[in-house]
């Protein structure tokens, strides 16, 4: 988990940036848009996940990129929405992936996707299995555990200490990378709400306009990001 | 071309005079300025070349129809005017037309049988063509174009515009210039250019203003208002002379590039001008495009230096587009990436700067300059709004095969944002034109949606 964005070391490093200030509302650019607020995560109409799965994704992503750091957490960035929509799409159904066997659950990780299940199926089968493990080990489903217990459970999952069926071996990797993607992808996919993660790290988004900047050493690029659909922050 | 039809507006006023005239004076065709020898023969290819230079195909071809077989609808407030079939089909085309009949249509706007043509057919300008060219064109149409049987819809305008004799009185006001060509005589090159611009090219049909009767105000080089700018179908056809006009701001070579390829170091030809390049000017020789450019450059006495070739082959060196004095302040604001910059500048930075650059100077032959660009600063704002919403495209030509295309921003920008951006562009880099309102943008969006 050390490479997770938003980990304390990086957060304090980025903290001083003007973009970080913009996020906190202190220096909102005159030209930032007033975006209509989307429905809260509680009222969000799920496209793929069921209620238990949603509770798990909310809880798990909130631990992977927590809200109490300096930058936005996964929930502020609406990462669960991103994951739900992706699983409902041709990503979830692995429409354009090579899905023929053989699948070898013991293959090196570098050998790629080693399960006949598509990502949506992996989530569907792995969440109850992992919840059952949490129940057995910590006495409650993942979403009901304390933050410390949740962190411990995720660490076990990452280290392979949770005995999941071979077909579910991709679960941890998926959960982690989908969380990062939901945090940093263009907002059109439901995550990175308000481009908060971009503002936070000072990434200016989809603007091909830096001709005059590469040679300006040690000068901060001050302008907030723009999304592919033209949203400004 | 639709706006040609506003011409007809003037007819109402003239109705009464027309009636009297119609009753008392017989219709007459202008006699040829020059009698050709009985055995006169055009050069091989001359007739087809004249057809390209005078752009008959543009109007006389229906959308997706056979070339020259007519049936293109030209909308007017009074109703639709249908262009006619000018292939040599004996029933539906001009197969039965004598040379004199044809000449009458070109020079006097009188069809076979004596009916007047609506001035949507630019006989005001073709009248200035040389006898040899009209004859070569006739021979070509009759002998080399295959007859196409195509009955075009009859034009039926509402009363009183359906009374074609009214055009007669209008012609008395509009056709005050003699038929045939009168060279100014500055140089052979410029005279050739004058001929092409005045006659076959009928540039004045769009680039001259209109009189209150909607006749062209300035048809020949001797008229003061000639090519001082017109409005056609909601587009500025900018002035082609005078301070700040493209021919004065550009070199002769750059101007010829624009005519031959629809693009140059400064601008791109869109709207009707794009069609003129696509259907007509790209087929002309380098000498002729240079001749027109030289004529336009020297029209008010400026010194003319013409290069040998147009749109030379090979890579174009793209200079680092530095802002000039007028553009510096804007360029510096953009480069600063200051979050407090006005919304228009921010929208330009977010959407446009990658191609048109902070200097507003674009890149030669690829991305038009937006500084001093007459599409940006024109009195008519719909073309600018439309380029932003729908993008624009200059088709490839023999010399510049690559299609030049800009994507549209209709999905990405709201009406308010387009208005902010357009207003900002009209004042950036020293541009000095009035604002654009969100309602203007909504109008263009709605019109596009209903087309």
């Amino acid at each position: 988990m050390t490479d997770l964005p938003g980990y304390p070391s990086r957060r304090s490093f980025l903290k001083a940036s003007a973009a970080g200030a913009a996020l906190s509302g202190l220096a909102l650019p005159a030209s930032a848009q007033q975006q209509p607020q989307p429905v809260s995560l509680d009222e969000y109409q799920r496209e793929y996940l069921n209620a238990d799965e949603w509770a798990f994704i909310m809880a798990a992503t909130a631990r992977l990129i927590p809200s109490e750091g300096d930058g936005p957490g996964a929930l502020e960035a609406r990462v669960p929405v991103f994951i739900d929509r992706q699983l409902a799409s041709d990503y979830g159904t692995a429409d354009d992936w090579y899905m023929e066997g053989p699948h070898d659950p013991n293959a090196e990780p570098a050998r790629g996707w080693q399960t006949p299940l598509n990502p949506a199926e992996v989530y569907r089968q792995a969440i109850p299995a992992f919840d059952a493990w949490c129940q057995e080990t910590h006495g409650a489903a993942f979403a009901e555990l304390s933050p410390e217990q949740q962190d411990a459970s995720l660490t076990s999952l990452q280290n392979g200490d949770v005995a999941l069926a071979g077909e579910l071996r991709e679960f941890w990797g998926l959960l982690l990378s989908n969380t990062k993607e939901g945090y940093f992808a263009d907002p059109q996919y439901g995550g990175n709400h308000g481009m908060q993660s971009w503002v936070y790290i000072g990434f200016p988004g989809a603007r091909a306009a830096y001709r005059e900047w590469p040679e300006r050493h040690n000068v901060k690029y001050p302008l907030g990001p723009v999304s592919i659909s033209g949203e400004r922050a | 071309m639709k706006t040609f039809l506003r011409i007809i507006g003037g007819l109402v006023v003239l109705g009464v005079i027309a009636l009297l005239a119609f009753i008392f004076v017989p219709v007459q065709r202008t006699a040829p300025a020059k009698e050709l020898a009985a055995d006169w023969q055009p050069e091989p290819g001359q007739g087809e070349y004249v057809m390209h230079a005078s752009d008959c195909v543009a109007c006389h071809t229906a959308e997706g129809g056979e070339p020259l077989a007519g049936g293109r609808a030209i909308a007017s407030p009074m109703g639709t005017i249908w262009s006619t079939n000018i292939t040599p089909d004996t029933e539906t085309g001009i197969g039965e037309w004598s040379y004199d009949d044809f000449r009458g249509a070109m020079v006097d706007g009188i069809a076979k049988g004596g009916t007047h043509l609506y001035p949507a057919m630019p006989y005001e300008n073709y009248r200035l063509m040389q006898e040899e060219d009209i004859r070569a064109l006739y021979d070509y149409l009759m002998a080399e174009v295959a007859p196409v049987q195509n009955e075009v819809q009859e034009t039926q305008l509402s009363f009183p515009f359906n009374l074609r004799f009214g055009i007669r009185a209008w012609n008395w006001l509009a056709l005050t210039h003699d038929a045939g060509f009168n060279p100014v005589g500055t140089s052979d090159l410029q005279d050739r250019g004058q001929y092409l611009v005045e006659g076959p090219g009928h540039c004045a049909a769009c680039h001259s203003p209109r009189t209150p009767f909607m006749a062209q105000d300035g048809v020949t080089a001797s008229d003061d208002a000639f090519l001082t700018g017109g409005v056609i179908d909601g587009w500025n056809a900018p002035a082609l002379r005078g301070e700040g006009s493209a021919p004065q701001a550009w070199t002769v070579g750059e101007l010829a590039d624009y005519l031959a390829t629809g693009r140059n170091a400064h601008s791109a030809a869109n709207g009707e001008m794009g069609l003129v390049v696509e259907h007509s000017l790209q087929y002309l020789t380098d000498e002729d495009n240079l001749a027109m450019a030289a004529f336009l450059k020297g029209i008010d006495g400026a010194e003319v230096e013409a290069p040998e070739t147009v749109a030379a082959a090979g890579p174009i060196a793209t200079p680092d587009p530095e802002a000039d004095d007028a553009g510096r302040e804007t360029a510096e604001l953009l480069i600063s990436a200051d979050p407090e910059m006005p919304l228009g500048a921010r929208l330009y930075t977010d959407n446009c700067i990658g191609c048109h650059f902070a200097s507003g100077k674009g890149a030669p032959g690829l991305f038009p300059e937006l500084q001093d660009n007459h599409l940006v600063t024109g009195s008519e704002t719909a073309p600018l709004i439309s380029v932003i919403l729908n993008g624009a495209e200059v088709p490839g030509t023999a010399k510049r095969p690559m299609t030049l295309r800009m994507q549209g921003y209709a999905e990405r920008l709201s009406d308010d944002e387009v208005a902010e951006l357009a207003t900002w562009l009209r004042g950036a880099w020293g541009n000095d034109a009035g604002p654009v309102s969100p309602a203007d943008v909504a109008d263009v969006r709605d019109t596009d949606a209903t087309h």
Side-chain angles (χ1 to χ4, degrees):
Chain A
M1 268 171 56
T2 46
D3 61 346
L4 262 193
Y7 228 46
S9 58
R10 246 173 116 191
R11 286 196 170 167
S12 38
F13 168 67
L14 291 164
K15 191 167 124 184
S17 79
L23 173 75
S24 63
L26 296 176
L28 204 65
S31 49
Q33 284 152 305
Q34 296 300 316
Q35 288 287 329
Q37 279 302 313
V39 295
S40 73
L41 291 175
D42 298 337
E43 292 159 47
Y44 168 74
Q45 292 281 326
R46 298 182 305 273
E47 292 179 26
Y48 176 77
L49 298 170
N50 64 33
D52 288 345
E53 291 162 351
W54 179 253
F56 169 79
I57 294 291
M58 291 275 285
T61 56
R63 289 320 301 157
L64 293 175
I65 310 179
S67 302
E68 47 284 0
D70 295 330
L75 297 187
E76 290 77 62
R78 294 172 73 85
V79 169
V81 173
F82 171 88
I83 293 179
D84 178 56
R85 285 211 211 148
Q86 286 300 305
L87 295 181
S89 76
D90 56 4
Y91 169 79
T93 48
D95 270 7
D96 51 3
W97 295 10
Y98 179 80
M99 292 294 284
E100 302 299 318
H103 301 287
D104 177 3
N106 299 314
E108 286 292 303
R111 306 286 292 275
W113 197 252
Q114 293 293 344
T115 163
L117 304 180
N118 63 35
E121 290 163 338
V122 169
Y123 276 91
R124 180 126 304 157
Q125 297 185 20
I127 292 171
F130 182 50
D131 266 342
W133 182 90
C134 292
Q135 184 79 47
E136 206 171 283
T137 315
H138 297 288
F142 181 84
E144 312 297 326
L145 300 177
S146 71
E148 293 73 27
Q149 290 170 319
Q150 288 177 333
D151 286 356
S153 305
L154 288 173
T155 306
S156 302
L157 182 64
Q158 178 180 27
N159 293 339
D161 297 340
V162 179
L164 291 179
E167 292 181 340
L168 302 177
R169 64 170 251 183
E170 313 295 349
F171 179 53
W172 162 254
L174 271 189
L175 178 63
L176 177 58
S177 62
N178 292 164
T179 302
K180 292 188 217 171
E181 287 155 8
Y183 193 69
F184 283 119
D186 186 88
Q188 69 180 298
Y189 304 106
N192 190 8
H193 174 57
M195 296 180 287
Q196 293 182 58
S197 72
W198 291 356
V199 171
Y200 175 57
I201 64 166
F203 173 62
R207 175 191 305 131
Y210 316 108
R211 258 178 122 257
E212 291 83 5
W213 279 84
E215 307 205 333
R216 299 189 166 187
H217 303 294
N218 301 320
V219 181
K220 245 176 264 148
Y221 181 80
L223 198 52
V226 60
S227 76
I228 289 177
S229 67
E231 199 184 326
R232 295 182 295 282
Chain B
M1 310 254 161
K2 292 173 192 161
T3 322
F4 277 113
L5 277 303
R6 284 198 283 142
I7 292 164
I8 290 161
L11 295 183
V12 185
V13 188
L14 296 170
V16 179
I17 320 168
L19 195 57
L20 300 173
F22 179 68
I23 295 166
F24 293 113
V25 192
V27 173
Q28 271 179 343
R29 288 175 181 152
T30 308
K34 177 175 179 185
E35 288 292 349
L36 299 182
D39 61 352
W40 184 85
Q41 288 290 327
E43 305 281 327
Q46 185 180 350
E48 187 179 13
Y49 190 82
V50 173
M51 180 193 71
H52 283 315
S54 50
D55 210 2
C56 318
V57 178
C59 292
H60 283 279
T61 307
E63 209 83 57
E66 292 283 334
L68 300 173
R72 184 180 206 86
I74 300 182
S76 87
M78 284 73 67
T80 302
I81 299 194
W82 299 88
S83 71
T84 51
N85 180 344
I86 56 170
T87 68
D89 184 59
T90 47
E91 280 168 41
T92 62
I94 59 169
E96 301 281 5
W97 287 40
S98 69
Y99 174 60
D100 284 341
D101 292 335
F102 180 74
R103 206 179 163 283
M106 294 287 288
V107 172
D108 296 307
I110 299 170
K112 180 180 166 64
T115 30
H116 285 279
L117 296 174
Y118 290 111
M121 162 76 186
Y123 54 87
E124 279 175 273
N125 312 98
Y126 292 155
R127 179 179 179 78
L128 301 168
M129 285 168 68
Q130 282 163 334
E131 194 61 20
E132 291 87 342
D133 277 352
I134 302 179
R135 200 31 211 290
L137 180 56
Y138 175 76
D139 287 3
Y140 169 76
L141 290 174
M142 293 317 230
E144 290 180 61
V145 172
V148 178
Q149 168 109 31
N150 180 35
E151 192 73 61
V152 302
Q153 205 150 336
E154 201 183 322
T155 298
Q156 281 176 327
L157 302 189
S158 50
F159 180 83
F161 307 108
N162 58 341
L163 304 176
R164 283 174 178 263
F165 63 78
I167 300 170
R168 183 142 184 229
W170 185 85
N171 284 342
W172 288 349
L173 292 168
L175 300 186
T176 51
H177 49 295
D178 289 338
F181 176 50
N182 282 304
V184 173
T186 320
S187 73
D188 286 351
L189 185 72
Q190 282 155 277
D191 285 349
R192 173 67 182 163
Q194 180 198 347
Y195 172 66
L196 290 164
V197 165
E198 280 184 351
H202 63 281
C203 315
C206 299
H207 287 279
S208 281
R210 296 275 169 174
T211 66
F213 294 113
M214 294 311 293
Q216 293 171 30
D217 189 2
V219 185
T220 71
S222 60
D223 301 324
D224 289 343
F226 182 57
L227 303 181
T228 51
V231 172
I232 179 104
D233 213 8
W235 284 65
N236 292 98
L240 298 181
R241 66 197 291 180
E243 207 188 318
S245 68
Q248 296 313 312
W250 305 345
T251 67
V252 172
E254 289 168 342
L255 183 51
D257 288 357
Y258 179 94
L259 299 177
T261 68
R263 63 194 78 173
N264 68 2
H266 304 280
S267 190
N270 289 298
E272 289 288 351
M273 194 61 206
L275 299 176
V276 172
V277 173
E278 184 182 354
H279 296 300
S280 169
L281 302 180
Q282 68 157 314
Y283 297 107
L284 302 195
T285 59
D286 283 5
E287 297 78 67
D288 277 351
N289 277 316
L290 283 168
M292 285 191 281
F295 163 67
L296 292 170
K297 179 64 140 188
I299 195 167
D300 291 312
E303 197 167 322
V304 171
E305 263 176 71
E308 301 278 304
T309 52
V310 175
I316 306 170
T318 303
D320 197 20
E322 282 297 321
D324 56 21
D325 286 347
R328 188 149 301 128
E329 201 181 317
T330 303
E332 277 168 7
L333 169 72
L334 292 169
I335 293 168
S336 75
D338 180 354
E340 299 302 323
M341 69 172 75
L343 180 55
R346 171 74 197 257
L347 290 166
Y348 184 80
T349 305
D350 283 354
N351 297 287
C352 326
I353 205 171
C355 295
H356 295 285
F357 297 133
S359 62
K361 291 207 170 285
L366 288 175
F367 306 130
E369 219 168 51
L370 302 183
Q371 181 184 34
D372 284 336
N373 184 310
H374 295 132
L375 183 141
V376 174
T377 59
S379 62
E380 305 303 302
T381 56
L384 172 60
I385 295 169
S386 171
V387 169
I388 297 174
L389 287 177
N390 308 313
E393 183 173 311
V394 178
T397 56
K399 280 171 179 289
R400 290 281 182 263
M402 188 181 85
T403 303
L404 218 52
R405 183 178 293 132
M406 175 177 137
Q407 67 292 347
Y409 288 81
E411 306 288 311
R412 204 170 138 115
L413 301 177
S414 67
D415 290 353
D416 286 341
E417 289 171 332
V418 173
E420 282 288 341
L421 174 59
T423 300
W424 181 82
L425 288 170
R426 284 162 67 81
W429 308 288
N431 288 346
D432 185 16
V436 170
S437 74
D440 299 336
V441 180
D443 283 349
V444 176
R445 220 190 263 268
D446 293 347
T447 320
D448 295 336
T450 57
H451 272 63

